[in-house]
mmCIF file of all heavy atoms in Angstrom:
data_model
loop_
_atom_site.group_PDB
_atom_site.id
_atom_site.type_symbol
_atom_site.label_atom_id
_atom_site.label_comp_id
_atom_site.label_asym_id
_atom_site.label_seq_id
_atom_site.Cartn_x
_atom_site.Cartn_y
_atom_site.Cartn_z
ATOM 1 N N SER A 64 14.088 10.269 -6.640
ATOM 2 C CA SER A 64 13.534 11.536 -6.158
ATOM 3 C C SER A 64 13.414 12.484 -7.349
ATOM 4 O O SER A 64 14.025 12.250 -8.401
ATOM 5 C CB SER A 64 14.465 12.145 -5.111
ATOM 6 O OG SER A 64 15.661 12.571 -5.739
ATOM 7 N N PRO A 65 12.662 13.569 -7.205
ATOM 8 C CA PRO A 65 12.596 14.548 -8.298
ATOM 9 C C PRO A 65 13.982 15.076 -8.695
ATOM 10 O O PRO A 65 14.248 15.280 -9.880
ATOM 11 C CB PRO A 65 11.711 15.655 -7.729
ATOM 12 C CG PRO A 65 10.813 14.940 -6.758
ATOM 13 C CD PRO A 65 11.698 13.881 -6.147
ATOM 14 N N ALA A 66 14.859 15.266 -7.723
ATOM 15 C CA ALA A 66 16.215 15.739 -8.035
ATOM 16 C C ALA A 66 16.978 14.692 -8.843
ATOM 17 O O ALA A 66 17.699 15.034 -9.790
ATOM 18 C CB ALA A 66 16.967 16.081 -6.761
ATOM 19 N N GLU A 67 16.831 13.424 -8.478
ATOM 20 C CA GLU A 67 17.492 12.358 -9.240
ATOM 21 C C GLU A 67 16.926 12.268 -10.658
ATOM 22 O O GLU A 67 17.674 12.072 -11.612
ATOM 23 C CB GLU A 67 17.330 11.018 -8.526
ATOM 24 C CG GLU A 67 18.120 10.913 -7.244
ATOM 25 C CD GLU A 67 17.757 9.688 -6.424
ATOM 26 O OE1 GLU A 67 16.565 9.303 -6.383
ATOM 27 O OE2 GLU A 67 18.680 9.123 -5.815
ATOM 28 N N GLU A 68 15.621 12.419 -10.788
ATOM 29 C CA GLU A 68 15.014 12.416 -12.116
ATOM 30 C C GLU A 68 15.569 13.554 -12.959
ATOM 31 O O GLU A 68 15.878 13.367 -14.137
ATOM 32 C CB GLU A 68 13.493 12.539 -12.020
ATOM 33 C CG GLU A 68 12.804 11.271 -11.579
ATOM 34 C CD GLU A 68 11.294 11.410 -11.627
ATOM 35 O OE1 GLU A 68 10.765 12.194 -12.449
ATOM 36 O OE2 GLU A 68 10.626 10.746 -10.829
ATOM 37 N N GLN A 69 15.710 14.733 -12.361
ATOM 38 C CA GLN A 69 16.255 15.883 -13.089
ATOM 39 C C GLN A 69 17.691 15.623 -13.514
ATOM 40 O O GLN A 69 18.075 15.936 -14.642
ATOM 41 C CB GLN A 69 16.178 17.150 -12.235
ATOM 42 C CG GLN A 69 16.694 18.389 -12.940
ATOM 43 C CD GLN A 69 15.940 18.697 -14.214
ATOM 44 O OE1 GLN A 69 14.722 18.692 -14.233
ATOM 45 N NE2 GLN A 69 16.658 18.936 -15.295
ATOM 46 N N ASP A 70 18.488 15.035 -12.633
ATOM 47 C CA ASP A 70 19.872 14.704 -12.975
ATOM 48 C C ASP A 70 19.921 13.712 -14.136
ATOM 49 O O ASP A 70 20.741 13.854 -15.055
ATOM 50 C CB ASP A 70 20.609 14.122 -11.771
ATOM 51 C CG ASP A 70 20.909 15.151 -10.700
ATOM 52 O OD1 ASP A 70 20.800 16.363 -10.981
ATOM 53 O OD2 ASP A 70 21.243 14.732 -9.565
ATOM 54 N N LEU A 71 19.060 12.715 -14.087
ATOM 55 C CA LEU A 71 19.016 11.717 -15.166
ATOM 56 C C LEU A 71 18.558 12.342 -16.474
ATOM 57 O O LEU A 71 19.107 12.046 -17.543
ATOM 58 C CB LEU A 71 18.107 10.552 -14.772
ATOM 59 C CG LEU A 71 18.619 9.675 -13.635
ATOM 60 C CD1 LEU A 71 17.523 8.755 -13.124
ATOM 61 C CD2 LEU A 71 19.837 8.886 -14.069
ATOM 62 N N ASP A 72 17.552 13.216 -16.417
ATOM 63 C CA ASP A 72 17.089 13.908 -17.619
ATOM 64 C C ASP A 72 18.211 14.772 -18.206
ATOM 65 O O ASP A 72 18.402 14.795 -19.424
ATOM 66 C CB ASP A 72 15.876 14.791 -17.311
ATOM 67 C CG ASP A 72 14.601 13.993 -17.102
ATOM 68 O OD1 ASP A 72 14.577 12.794 -17.445
ATOM 69 O OD2 ASP A 72 13.627 14.578 -16.582
ATOM 70 N N SER A 73 18.941 15.466 -17.353
ATOM 71 C CA SER A 73 20.046 16.303 -17.822
ATOM 72 C C SER A 73 21.136 15.463 -18.475
ATOM 73 O O SER A 73 21.699 15.843 -19.513
ATOM 74 C CB SER A 73 20.635 17.104 -16.659
ATOM 75 O OG SER A 73 19.687 18.007 -16.162
ATOM 76 N N GLU A 74 21.436 14.323 -17.876
ATOM 77 C CA GLU A 74 22.450 13.426 -18.448
ATOM 78 C C GLU A 74 21.998 12.903 -19.804
ATOM 79 O O GLU A 74 22.777 12.842 -20.759
ATOM 80 C CB GLU A 74 22.741 12.270 -17.492
ATOM 81 C CG GLU A 74 23.716 11.243 -18.021
ATOM 82 C CD GLU A 74 25.124 11.781 -18.276
ATOM 83 O OE1 GLU A 74 25.458 12.880 -17.804
ATOM 84 O OE2 GLU A 74 25.890 11.082 -18.960
ATOM 85 N N LEU A 75 20.737 12.531 -19.911
ATOM 86 C CA LEU A 75 20.209 12.060 -21.192
ATOM 87 C C LEU A 75 20.275 13.170 -22.236
ATOM 88 O O LEU A 75 20.701 12.935 -23.373
ATOM 89 C CB LEU A 75 18.773 11.562 -21.027
ATOM 90 C CG LEU A 75 18.087 11.056 -22.295
ATOM 91 C CD1 LEU A 75 18.866 9.911 -22.929
ATOM 92 C CD2 LEU A 75 16.662 10.639 -21.984
ATOM 93 N N ASP A 76 19.874 14.383 -21.868
ATOM 94 C CA ASP A 76 19.954 15.507 -22.791
ATOM 95 C C ASP A 76 21.391 15.738 -23.253
ATOM 96 O O ASP A 76 21.640 15.989 -24.440
ATOM 97 C CB ASP A 76 19.419 16.788 -22.138
ATOM 98 C CG ASP A 76 17.921 16.767 -21.936
ATOM 99 O OD1 ASP A 76 17.227 15.937 -22.567
ATOM 100 O OD2 ASP A 76 17.435 17.590 -21.123
ATOM 101 N N ARG A 77 22.344 15.650 -22.324
ATOM 102 C CA ARG A 77 23.745 15.848 -22.673
ATOM 103 C C ARG A 77 24.214 14.784 -23.659
ATOM 104 O O ARG A 77 24.866 15.077 -24.666
ATOM 105 C CB ARG A 77 24.614 15.789 -21.414
ATOM 106 C CG ARG A 77 26.087 16.124 -21.621
ATOM 107 C CD ARG A 77 26.934 15.901 -20.384
ATOM 108 N NE ARG A 77 27.014 14.496 -19.994
ATOM 109 C CZ ARG A 77 27.771 13.577 -20.630
ATOM 110 N NH1 ARG A 77 28.487 13.907 -21.681
ATOM 111 N NH2 ARG A 77 27.798 12.333 -20.214
#
Side-chain angles (χ1 to χ4, degrees):
S64 69
E67 290 170 323
E68 285 185 29
Q69 181 59 48
D70 289 346
L71 292 167
D72 286 346
S73 295
E74 177 64 14
L75 179 58
D76 290 343
R77 186 186 66 76

